[in-house]
Amino acid sequence: MTHLTLLDAAGSTSQVALREASGFTKPTTPLRSRLAYAAAHVVPLVHADNTPGRPAEIDWDATLAFRRSVYSWGLGVADAMDTAQRNMGLDAAAVRELIARTAQTAREEGGSVVVGVNTDHVEDEHISLDQVIDAYRSQLAFTEEQGAGPVLMASRHLARAASSAEDYRRVYLEVLASAQGPVVLHWLGTAFDPTLEGYFGSPDWREASEVLLQIIGESADKVAGVKMSLLDAASEVSVRERLPEGVRMFTGDDFNYVGLIGGADVPDARQPERDAASPRQHSDALLGAFAAITPVASAAIQALDAGDGARYREILEPTEELSRQVFAAPTFYYKSGVAFLSWLNGHQPAFQMVGGLHSARSLPHLSRIVELANASGALERPELAAIRWHGMLRLNGADVPGVIA
């Protein structure tokens, strides 16, 4: 098969040449220049009732095999977070089982895993600040018992209960005080979850970042890093340059990661102005996008390890347009694109998601993902991807030359 058939919003089809596989190689030693995590999704059982509102029924073999694949490319796994459909189909029981299983898989593979800690097991929408603290602590204790690194996620409960920046300071400081070791703080923007408007006490990121930095400054020994997912590169650089020594910035910016990760090592990459005097000249990575392009991300960081910034850009820069398509508004449906690419690349038997979320994107949207994945070298097995995509088009009534319905 030498061509891909594409579908546009008017229902017209066109063809582009199918690229060969990129031929990237897995690292033989740990990646050195950047600490990178792929925020992984979950794979449902094909035959199960994973319809909206139903408890998630997970295909554990496929879900954990995907994580083993990520480890084989030298990346860490960020699990039970937004990409795994927290608050969008993954119920509390499934979250606990996922955390336990992914922690065990990390031990078996010798990989690094961090997992989300939230308050979402509490069913009531409105709870007090004390109850928010207790809920955080409950999930934190369970995560630490499993041996996974905690990521303190932004809480919808806290966003509803807090009436001031001081409320955020109180909750975070009390939760951090109970942590057995350093955790990562996750600042999730409203593009991903509109209910988090005004998190850290203000809708203005400049004011909110001051609160975040105060929290970190008062508990620096309990904070390993910050993941920023505001899709605003300037805000990330601003906070990054003010972090205390020893606290990492993990980019969660799926629109601008090439320049943010490259930093001073890749000065020609598009990125905000940096303070040359700052000791913080780049971000590490904790990205849902890296679950969609794991081999490409690994190859790019291997290039950085070799001191080849030009090769890093050549490999990774084409994927940013793909990522922007996957994370296009409404951004919180990006999980559909991650699962779609996982299916195209042979990591799961069907394009299905818990809660029926695979229906969240249109065929033309998915077609553009196919086109950009092909162009950026993100199709791991191009012929398999073409067969699966063309079959999906035919199933939905689109004509594909040479493909029988």
Side-chain angles (χ1 to χ4, degrees):
M1 188 174 297
T2 59
H3 289 84
L4 277 171
T5 296
L6 305 174
L7 180 72
D8 66 20
S12 300
T13 59
S14 60
Q15 289 193 323
V16 295
L18 180 65
R19 280 187 48 170
E20 294 183 359
S22 297
F24 297 128
T25 57
K26 295 180 178 181
T28 56
T29 58
L31 301 178
R32 302 185 310 276
S33 58
R34 301 293 187 272
L35 184 56
Y37 290 90
H41 72 300
V42 294
V43 181
L45 285 171
V46 172
H47 60 271
D49 185 10
N50 280 293
T51 49
R54 297 293 300 165
E57 295 190 57
I58 307 298
D59 180 340
W60 292 113
D61 289 340
T63 294
L64 298 177
F66 183 83
R67 282 137 183 82
R68 291 189 177 94
S69 177
V70 171
Y71 290 134
S72 75
W73 285 97
L75 274 63
V77 170
D79 220 333
M81 295 185 64
D82 192 60
T83 309
Q85 294 181 245
R86 290 289 285 265
N87 293 307
M88 288 189 72
L90 198 68
D91 56 278
V95 167
R96 287 174 66 88
E97 186 170 2
L98 175 59
I99 290 172
R101 285 177 178 266
T102 198
Q104 178 60 36
T105 300
R107 286 190 289 272
E108 294 169 358
E109 300 296 324
S112 178
V113 65
V114 294
V115 303
V117 169
N118 210 317
T119 63
D120 52 351
H121 62 287
V122 178
E123 294 184 1
D124 293 340
E125 280 197 13
H126 297 277
I127 59 178
S128 68
L129 292 178
D130 286 337
Q131 289 173 309
V132 171
I133 293 168
D134 289 343
Y136 263 138
R137 284 174 169 167
S138 173
Q139 290 198 22
L140 176 62
F142 177 76
T143 294
E144 291 174 332
E145 288 170 4
Q146 305 310 310
V151 178
L152 211 59
M153 299 175 70
S155 164
R156 290 177 173 178
H157 287 115
L158 178 54
R160 295 187 191 104
S163 59
S164 66
E166 183 58 32
D167 287 342
Y168 285 93
R169 288 185 65 258
R170 177 196 160 198
V171 169
Y172 274 88
L173 291 175
E174 290 195 30
V175 174
L176 288 170
S178 66
Q180 295 180 9
V183 310
V184 174
L185 305 182
H186 186 196
W187 187 359
L188 189 67
T190 53
F192 292 92
D193 189 344
T195 65
L196 299 176
E197 176 73 27
Y199 209 77
F200 290 119
S202 175
D204 184 331
W205 70 260
R206 297 165 186 81
E207 295 177 1
S209 68
E210 294 294 341
V211 178
L212 171 65
L213 289 164
Q214 289 171 14
I215 292 168
I216 295 170
E218 294 180 49
S219 303
D221 61 327
K222 292 293 184 75
V223 180
V226 178
K227 171 181 172 164
M228 285 188 62
S229 301
L230 303 188
L231 303 181
D232 182 328
S235 67
E236 179 175 316
V237 170
S238 173
V239 174
R240 183 177 77 194
E241 293 180 343
R242 291 179 286 159
L243 289 174
E245 183 178 357
V247 179
R248 293 177 180 267
M249 172 58 75
F250 292 96
T251 186
D253 189 335
D254 302 277
F255 286 177
N256 305 292
Y257 52 81
V258 175
L260 290 167
I261 296 169
D265 294 329
V266 193
D268 293 335
R270 181 175 54 84
Q271 56 187 297
E273 183 177 349
R274 291 174 284 102
D275 179 358
S278 171
R280 305 305 183 87
Q281 293 294 319
H282 67 261
S283 298
D284 293 294
L286 200 166
L287 289 163
F290 276 14
I293 60 164
T294 299
V296 187
S298 173
I301 296 174
Q302 290 178 60
L304 279 183
D305 287 353
D308 192 342
R311 178 60 176 156
Y312 164 85
R313 279 188 67 193
E314 181 185 4
I315 294 170
L316 198 58
E317 215 161 55
T319 68
E320 252 187 20
E321 188 176 3
L322 167 63
S323 186
R324 285 174 175 262
Q325 175 68 11
V326 171
F327 286 79
T331 300
F332 42 80
Y333 288 140
Y334 77 89
K335 297 100 167 163
S336 303
V338 173
F340 178 61
L341 284 166
S342 171
W343 172 63
L344 290 181
N345 284 324
H347 293 294
Q348 60 191 76
F351 177 38
Q352 288 193 14
M353 300 177 69
V354 298
L357 201 65
H358 50 279
S359 65
R361 295 296 202 183
S362 69
L363 277 176
H365 176 93
L366 297 176
S367 180
R368 182 64 174 155
I369 288 178
V370 170
E371 181 180 10
L372 294 171
N374 178 57
S376 63
L379 296 180
E380 299 171 36
R381 300 162 64 184
E383 289 202 2
L384 173 65
I387 290 168
R388 289 188 163 188
W389 169 239
H390 290 162
M392 185 175 180
L393 284 176
R394 289 298 294 122
L395 180 65
N396 285 277
D399 289 329
V400 180
V403 177
I404 301 173

